[in-house]
Amino acid sequence: MTNNIYILIIAALLDYLIGDPWGWPHPVRVMGWLISGLSTFLLKHCQSSQIQRLAGIVLAIILIIGSGLSGWLIVQIARWLHPLLGIVVESILLASCFALHSLRKAAVDVIQPLTKGNLESARQILSNYVGRDTENLSETEVLRAILETVTENATDGVMAPLFYAIVGALIPLVGPVPLALAYKASSTLDSMVGYREAPYTYIGWFSAKLEDCLTWVPCRLTVMTLGLLSIKPLYVWRICRRDAIQDPSPNSGWSECAYAAILGVQMGGINWYRGVAKHKPLLGDAIYPITPTSIFQALQLTRYSFLLWLGVGIFLIHNS
């Protein structure tokens, strides 16, 4: 159990200091290649909607359980070679599940040209991080897009992986890596095939529903943590109960709305996807405009939440 504490701390430090070095092999990239290959194969050979639904279940089970088992086996082999190597490998694998450094980098990459008046460059860079059309976005809409990305991914990219890492660390013979990797596989599946639109309508339904279920508890815990950090938990919860339930996603609306309530800004509205307008519910009250400062405050809130959970996790592991 003591090793699990070291692994959590080292992984957190690696994500804070280094993040995901460009060009290095990354578990999520491997997951992406497998999902792309398997989904293409299944779509080609499964024609009816019922068969595609069953294929979607098989796809999710293979990727999620396979990712967790692969992580466990890699760690066991590293430990067998040398205990210290086991800690190093496990820490690196766990760090790859955290995306706080990546979220901050994405925000900075877009904000820098924007603050220099280069709106066109900011739009182009933003298109690398969001699915919406960016070519006609105003400066205000670019800032809203960054804040929505930072706050939505705070749960599934930062807090939920940490949640499952802590749960795994509390289970004998499991450790923090397998459950964190399994959750990342579920999240990656949802982002790649969890769409209602063709061709993923049927093959991605299970992945989307499963990711919603796996994220539900860490999302609500994140909202409560943010509320406590803001020293106005009842207000944050009331705004989320008012606005977040209007969002079709059971989780992303809650995550974004908590930050909107704390920062006094409003997110949501009309987004364009491949030329088609999509209306998202308004979250929070527009007390203040969204600014770069708002975005950095959101990132700081996520960091404080992460550190608080890390401290609680270390306490639980130490006393288990």
Side-chain angles (χ1 to χ4, degrees), residues 54-311:
L54 290 173
I57 296 174
V58 172
L59 174 65
I61 290 173
I62 289 174
L63 259 296
I64 294 171
I65 295 180
S67 296
L69 281 176
S70 297
W72 185 84
L73 282 172
I74 291 170
V75 168
Q76 296 307 311
I77 292 169
R79 285 178 179 173
W80 176 74
L81 291 171
H82 195 282
L84 185 58
L85 179 63
I87 292 175
V88 171
V89 169
E90 201 163 359
S91 299
I92 292 172
L93 284 173
L94 184 57
S96 73
C97 296
F98 302 147
L100 187 52
H101 187 282
S102 299
L103 283 179
R104 186 175 186 85
K105 182 181 183 301
V108 170
D109 285 349
V110 179
I111 290 172
Q112 280 184 341
L114 197 64
T115 54
K116 295 176 182 177
N118 194 341
L119 178 58
E120 183 60 35
S121 177
R123 289 168 175 164
Q124 291 176 351
I125 296 170
L126 178 65
S127 67
N128 297 322
Y129 299 111
V130 300
R132 71 190 73 179
D133 300 339
T134 63
E135 57 268 19
N136 297 314
L137 294 182
S138 65
E139 180 177 340
T140 300
E141 290 170 325
V142 168
L143 288 169
R144 175 169 71 87
I146 304 169
L147 185 59
E148 288 175 353
T149 299
V150 163
T151 55
E152 178 183 351
N153 288 287
T155 295
D156 57 13
V158 181
M159 303 305 293
L162 177 59
F163 172 82
Y164 284 104
I166 292 170
V167 171
L170 291 168
I171 301 174
L173 304 179
V174 176
V177 166
L179 292 190
L181 280 177
Y183 175 79
K184 290 299 287 188
S186 174
S187 180
T188 306
L189 276 162
D190 180 56
S191 66
M192 291 185 68
V193 301
Y195 298 100
R196 295 181 180 179
E197 297 83 7
Y200 302 116
T201 307
Y202 303 110
I203 204 168
W205 74 277
F206 183 76
S207 294
K209 294 295 183 184
L210 182 59
E211 199 274 344
D212 285 343
C213 292
L214 292 176
T215 308
W216 198 91
V217 170
C219 179
R220 268 61 186 179
L221 290 174
T222 299
V223 170
M224 288 188 277
T225 303
L226 291 167
L228 290 172
L229 289 172
S230 71
I231 323 178
K232 46 184 178 182
L234 295 180
Y235 172 76
V236 172
W237 192 257
R238 179 171 63 81
I239 298 298
C240 286
R241 288 288 300 165
R242 185 193 73 184
D243 297 343
I245 58 174
Q246 309 301 324
D247 196 289
S249 167
N251 297 309
S252 63
W254 280 81
S255 185
E256 291 178 36
C257 193
Y259 286 93
I262 295 168
L263 298 173
V265 300
Q266 189 173 73
M267 289 184 266
I270 300 175
N271 296 332
W272 292 83
Y273 298 88
R274 292 187 287 272
V276 178
K278 183 176 180 180
H279 296 260
K280 292 196 68 177
L282 296 175
L283 306 172
D285 298 316
I287 301 170
Y288 306 108
I290 297 174
T291 64
T293 300
S294 310
I295 295 163
F296 289 121
Q297 286 175 338
L299 288 164
Q300 195 76 314
L301 280 167
T302 306
R303 185 172 303 285
Y304 290 153
S305 299
F306 182 90
L307 290 173
L308 180 59
W309 282 25
L310 185 64

